[in-house]
Amino acid sequence: MRRSTALPKPPAGQPLPETHVWLTLKTLFPYLWRYRLRVLAALSCLVAAKVANVGVPMVFKGMIDELSGPQQALAMPILLLLLYGALRFSTGLFTELREILFARVTQRAVRQVALEVFRHLHSLSLRFHLERQTGGVSRDVERGTRSISSLISYTLYSILPTLVEIGLVLGILFVKYDLGFVIITLVSLVSYIVFTVKVSNWRIDIRRAVNENDSAANTRAVDSLLNYETVKYFNNEAWEARRYDEQLIKWEDAATRSQTTLAFLNLGQQMIIVLGVTAMMWRAASGVVDGTMTIGDLVLVNAFLIQLYIPLNFLGVVYREIRQAMTDIERMFKLMQENREIADAPDARDLPNGPLQVNFDTVDFAYDPERLILKNLSFAIPPGKAVAVVGHSGAGKSTLSRLLYRFYDVTGGSVRINGHDLRTLKQSSLRAAIGIVPQDTVLFNDSIFYNINYGRPEASREEVFAAARAAQLHDFIETLPQKYETRVGERGLKLSGGEKQRVAIARALLKNPPILIFDEATSALDSGTERAIQSQLEQAAIGRTTLTIAHRLSTVMNANEILVMHEGHIIERGTHQALLAAAGSYARMWTLQQQENGNMAEPEKL
């Protein structure tokens, strides 16, 4: 089947946006202006280098005129030769000084922008991170930071030097020769620049389509590799390769069109340069024949043309690269413009020290406005007490922990700690006071020690070992060849589900927070390990305000209060024994789970 030659669209099907050049430069400028002294010194070196470079052909002209005169004197050409060498050296010296002065500015700007983007991404809401595509975002950040260096380098080392040199050459041609040389040079330059800008602007959407499809292909590849096991489970390697190739075909079409239009641009630029050079040399040669110009003048004009020709010929490439860099930087800065759905209030304060009480006061919440998850929910967790929440999947149990961490703000009502609405507290202070063992434990691709120590990075090795023992993990780690330095693999895939969950328990215990959340904390453990760890969890919860979210009712029997949720409501509440005696929903779930476990012991004897 013949492929379409139409311009590939971005994967989301959105129109290709305009590149906002000045807005992007305005955003980037403050990062450079912090080092204004270095910038100004580098610019001074740039001008000095170009003055020396333009002086070289003039000295060369003087040497030729002296040597071609009727009375050749050796002293003057030797002096000019020394001056020629000094100017050549000065050009290189000031160019390298400019590089030395500006190197720190460029790298520091790249570092600061990359760090700011990284911090901003971490400050965005959970909603953004659930919807983002990791491969595309990482590629945008990588290309954007790399393009900052490219943009600065091309501007300082190509565009500005060329403009300075053009200005100096035009001034010399105007002062030393007639206006015709200036007009020919200006017409050539303007024609070249206008043609380059017009064609490059036409090509920018093609180049952006290449980037969009490159990011989309990378996103598909990363997503597929992250889900390697799932691909294998369903024998879908060919399916994944076909999906990846579908995006690569779009990238190939865009990249091919980009290359062919580049050839057209280069051809037009060469034609303009050739016509300009021919006209200049014809006028200079005519001047020599008429006796109004010397051989040295002809050499000078030719040298000027060559000096302008080389950077001007490269100017087209530079312009394309700068527009490319602008496009990449714009995509990265758009990440910086992502709205922080959850942000600290201007007068936000730290969470006070001491025992903490948690209150959910008539809370309503919806991820999507059309589907309410929590409805008029109210309960309290007194200081040092344990409250458990149980219910069928989809009842809204795990949403409670996300609201308590303030990953989202409530739609109605409020969540309070010691009477303080979470929206009035600093997020860093709030989250420092909470430890969690999540249902789905994802670990860093680092050592077991690093992953446990992540709960409190300043903790000593002995404290990390103690937390591992409390999570019934230490003995297992000691059996491994590299012990605590064993790497867990991408997302912890080298460990079993139970081992990962015990790492998460050890990490939460090491953090030692006043509020603990156990979100299906033992769901991946076998019954024997679960009983061993359950006692450790209960021991760790003593004196702490604890919220336990569980499916296995055997893990919440000792809670001070148990809440039974159904479709966002609390339908029952009480102690284990009281709920069994009520013979309601909780009692039915208990009986069903006991039957599944093959254990029909009388509830009142437990």
Side-chain angles (χ1 to χ4, degrees), residues 181 281-295 297-298:
F181 287 98
M281 293 306 297
W282 170 80
R283 189 170 183 84
S286 298
V288 173
V289 171
D290 295 341
T292 58
M293 296 178 68
T294 66
I295 297 296
D297 290 321
L298 179 65

Side-chain angles (χ1 to χ4, degrees), residues 37-54:
L37 294 179
R38 279 180 175 264
V39 172
L40 294 174
L43 291 177
S44 299
C45 289
L46 182 154
V47 173
K50 284 306 167 185
V51 169
N53 198 42
V54 170

Side-chain angles (χ1 to χ4, degrees), residues 26 30 44 46 51 89 91-92 107 127 130 156 164 206 232 249 254 298 345 385 422 485 504 556 561 570 595:
K26 182 180 176 182
S44 299
L46 182 154
V51 169
F89 178 74
T91 300
Q107 306 311 322
R127 193 188 310 275
L130 291 176
L156 188 68
V164 170
I206 301 173
K232 290 295 184 182
I249 288 172
L298 179 65
K385 301 298 182 180
L422 299 191
E485 297 308 313
V556 301
E561 185 179 31
I570 297 175
Q595 289 174 345

Side-chain angles (χ1 to χ4, degrees), residues 207-473:
R207 188 64 213 178
R208 189 183 284 119
V210 175
N211 286 350
E212 294 282 359
N213 288 292
D214 178 48
S215 291
N218 187 64
T219 296
R220 285 192 177 179
V222 171
D223 191 45
S224 179
L225 293 173
L226 287 175
N227 292 280
Y228 169 83
E229 289 183 87
T230 305
V231 174
K232 290 295 184 182
Y233 289 152
F234 294 95
N235 196 32
N236 274 342
E237 294 91 340
W239 165 261
E240 290 295 327
R242 187 161 59 251
R243 288 181 70 245
Y244 183 47
D245 191 43
E246 285 173 1
Q247 201 62 55
L248 287 178
I249 288 172
K250 296 178 182 178
W251 169 83
E252 177 189 336
D253 289 339
T256 300
R257 190 173 179 188
S258 178
Q259 285 297 110
T260 54
T261 54
L262 174 61
F264 168 74
L265 175 60
N266 288 337
L267 187 62
Q269 289 170 340
Q270 291 298 321
M271 183 177 296
I272 293 170
I273 289 292
V274 168
L275 290 175
V277 169
T278 302
M280 287 282 282
M281 293 306 297
W282 170 80
R283 189 170 183 84
S286 298
V288 173
V289 171
D290 295 341
T292 58
M293 296 178 68
T294 66
I295 297 296
D297 290 321
L298 179 65
V299 172
L300 176 63
V301 170
N302 184 63
F304 276 160
L305 289 174
I306 292 174
Q307 284 190 188
L308 286 181
Y309 172 80
I310 295 174
L312 194 60
N313 189 49
F314 188 58
L315 193 62
V317 178
V318 171
Y319 179 77
R320 293 192 300 272
E321 291 299 324
I322 286 178
R323 289 304 302 264
Q324 163 79 40
M326 292 294 296
T327 303
D328 293 340
I329 294 170
E330 180 186 353
R331 287 178 63 89
M332 182 179 66
F333 280 156
K334 280 183 178 177
L335 292 175
M336 295 276 285
Q337 295 165 10
E338 285 286 344
N339 182 45
R340 297 183 182 184
E341 183 180 339
I342 306 299
D344 286 341
D347 58 347
R349 54 186 179 274
D350 289 328
L351 184 65
N353 294 324
L356 302 178
Q357 172 163 319
V358 175
N359 288 83
F360 280 70
D361 295 333
T362 61
V363 169
D364 293 332
F365 177 73
Y367 295 104
D368 184 326
E370 297 180 358
R371 181 176 172 236
L372 208 58
I373 301 297
L374 301 179
K375 307 161 189 174
N376 198 34
L377 191 74
S378 296
F379 68 91
I381 312 175
K385 301 298 182 180
V387 169
V389 180
V390 300
H392 297 294
S393 296
K397 304 187 300 297
S398 293
T399 300
L400 300 177
S401 64
R402 291 177 171 181
L403 292 179
L404 188 53
Y405 261 101
R406 208 187 164 207
F407 289 157
Y408 301 93
D409 278 335
V410 296
T411 309
S414 63
V415 182
R416 300 178 178 274
I417 295 181
N418 282 7
H420 301 289
D421 192 313
L422 299 191
R423 289 166 289 196
T424 68
L425 299 173
K426 291 181 180 178
Q427 294 176 70
S428 58
S429 172
L430 168 67
R431 291 167 188 163
I434 306 174
I436 187 170
V437 181
Q439 180 178 2
D440 182 19
T441 300
V442 178
L443 304 180
F444 293 96
N445 188 4
D446 210 301
S447 66
I448 293 177
F449 181 90
Y450 176 87
N451 277 282
I452 297 176
N453 189 228
Y454 199 80
R456 185 157 53 90
E458 69 275 11
S460 67
R461 293 188 68 85
E462 289 69 25
E463 289 175 309
V464 173
F465 298 159
R469 289 189 182 94
Q472 302 293 308
L473 188 62

